Amino acid sequence: MEFMLQLMQVKKTIEVVKNFPGLGEKIKKAREGDKRSLSQICRESGISRPYWYQLENEQIYSSVSEEMIRKIEATLGVDFGVSFED
């Protein structure tokens, strides 16, 4: 009987939290400058309309992931300047 060695992968996640004042307004302006409907933008970015409005109004009660911001940037074709480099 032959045994296969299986490797278990372990992922280390480092959480860095940084404030980006005015990011919600930037998201809103970028959306308003886009010709697509909010429904289409939300569909393409995988974000619900209620959550999108919470982002624009900065009424998020937990941190927004960098991945989420990158999805929005990609969908709208913009760069919001979100960086964790000092």
Side-chain angles (χ1 to χ4, degrees):
M1 180 181 262
E2 193 173 311
F3 290 98
M4 283 187 66
L5 178 63
Q6 294 196 11
L7 301 175
M8 181 184 301
Q9 295 180 342
V10 178
K11 177 178 161 182
K12 179 180 179 182
T13 303
I14 299 173
E15 185 172 326
V16 178
V17 178
K18 189 173 177 182
N19 293 320
F20 292 95
L23 182 57
E25 185 62 29
K26 288 180 181 180
I27 292 170
K28 183 177 182 176
K29 284 184 180 185
R31 175 187 57 83
E32 290 176 340
D34 196 286
K35 295 178 182 173
R36 294 169 289 179
S37 69
L38 177 58
S39 294
Q40 185 176 358
I41 291 170
C42 288
R43 203 171 26 256
E44 291 177 19
S45 61
I47 300 171
S48 71
R49 288 173 58 109
Y51 188 70
W52 189 281
Y53 283 126
Q54 288 175 346
L55 288 168
E56 286 186 352
N57 295 315
E58 297 189 19
Q59 295 176 336
I60 303 297
Y61 301 108
S62 64
S63 298
V64 176
S65 70
E66 182 181 15
E67 178 184 6
M68 179 70 66
I69 297 302
R70 300 299 176 229
K71 282 183 183 181
I72 295 169
E73 288 176 330
T75 301
L76 296 175
V78 298
D79 179 355
F80 295 123
V82 172
S83 174
F84 291 92
E85 302 296 322
D86 288 332

